[in-house]
Structure formats: C-alpha cells, structure tokens
Amino acid sequence: MVAASSDNPATLGGASSLILGIVALISLAFTNIVGIGMALLFGSLAVTFAIIGLRNQASRCKCVIGLTFGALPVLYFLFLIASFG
C-alpha cells in the first residue's frame, strides 16, 4: 500500500517561493535578453507564495528568502516606473 503524501498546496509555499525568487533574480540579471516582464512575473509569484506560506506556518526560512528574492525585481520595476514615468 502506498503511503499518502503529506504535501499539500499550503505546505509548498516556501519551496515554490524560493524557487520562483531565484528564477526572478536570474531573469532580472538577463533583462536585456528576456525582458522585464519575466522578472516581474516570477517576482510577483514569489512574493504571493511567500505570503501564503508565512500565513500557513510553512518553513519560514524559505518563505522569507523567497519573499526577499521576489521583492527585488518587483521593487526594481517600481523604481524604473517612478524614475522615468
């Protein structure tokens, strides 16, 4: 008999926000190639999943790192809008 998985969407918030935050930073580094939209998309998703993970008491360390890494591209985009808009 197969054991049931203990993972559900609420517990995966930390890991997904960490991965999306790292991808957001990498795509921000290659903004000239992939554009700012990919960094903004991955950063926004990382921040969203980090907040969900923090509310559901998921692994806090991964959530905070994902929140930080995801917030950097979003804040960079807002800074560009404020500077040149």
Side-chain angles (χ1 to χ4, degrees):
M1 193 164 172
V2 178
S5 176
S6 64
D7 291 335
N8 60 25
T11 60
L12 297 176
S16 61
S17 69
L18 179 63
I19 291 169
L20 286 170
I22 291 171
V23 171
L25 281 181
I26 291 171
S27 63
L28 183 64
F30 296 109
T31 301
N32 292 336
I33 298 170
V34 296
I36 190 72
M38 296 303 284
L40 185 62
L41 173 70
F42 290 133
S44 302
L45 286 173
V47 168
T48 302
F49 286 136
I51 291 171
I52 290 172
L54 286 172
R55 290 198 62 202
N56 292 327
Q57 304 294 328
S59 77
R60 290 189 178 272
C61 183
K62 290 180 184 177
C63 288
V64 169
I65 293 171
L67 180 66
T68 306
F69 285 175
L72 289 175
V74 174
L75 292 175
Y76 177 74
F77 178 72
L78 292 176
F79 175 74
L80 285 178
I81 295 295
S83 296
F84 301 114

